[in-house]
Amino acid sequence: MARKPVHLTADPRQAAWTVMRQLKQFTLEDLERKTKEKNSTLATYLLSLCKGGYVEKVGRDAPRSRHYAKKNAFQPGIYRLVKDVGYHAP
């Protein structure tokens, strides 16, 4: 079976960015539910957006587990979009 052309394949970052722009405030689970993407993919993207100043953590949604114990690792919680740069995902 042939592959889909590049312009027809969904970009997980673009899908997540679109949901973030719609919700304004969200959790990782919200993004997973709406985009149908893998948790690890979304967590990595969300962490990079936090480091870039596009998103900030505004609260906790669950107690911290050992899985997220690393200092620079993704931390589950409630996030808010603070820098909306338009349709195209950064």
Side-chain angles (χ1 to χ4, degrees):
M1 178 183 243
R3 295 172 112 190
K4 285 184 181 179
V6 170
H7 68 282
L8 295 179
T9 58
D11 177 16
R13 289 177 176 231
Q14 185 62 49
W17 180 251
T18 300
V19 171
M20 289 179 219
R21 292 184 70 222
Q22 290 169 351
L23 297 178
K24 306 291 187 218
Q25 191 165 308
F26 49 86
T27 64
L28 181 62
E29 289 75 26
D30 293 334
L31 296 178
E32 272 185 288
R33 198 172 31 257
K34 298 231 181 226
T35 64
K36 309 281 192 268
E37 296 296 335
K38 291 191 303 187
N39 181 299
S40 59
T41 302
L42 294 169
T44 301
Y45 183 49
L46 196 51
L47 181 61
S48 66
L49 289 176
C50 285
K51 288 180 179 180
Y54 296 95
V55 172
E56 70 180 2
K57 187 174 178 183
V58 294
R60 288 176 49 176
D61 68 341
R64 192 171 173 177
S65 69
R66 271 197 239 163
H67 178 71
Y68 299 111
K70 293 181 185 174
K71 185 177 179 182
N72 290 325
F74 174 79
Q75 300 296 316
I78 301 168
Y79 291 84
R80 179 178 60 167
L81 181 64
V82 292
K83 192 190 305 183
D84 186 347
V85 293
Y87 174 77
H88 296 287

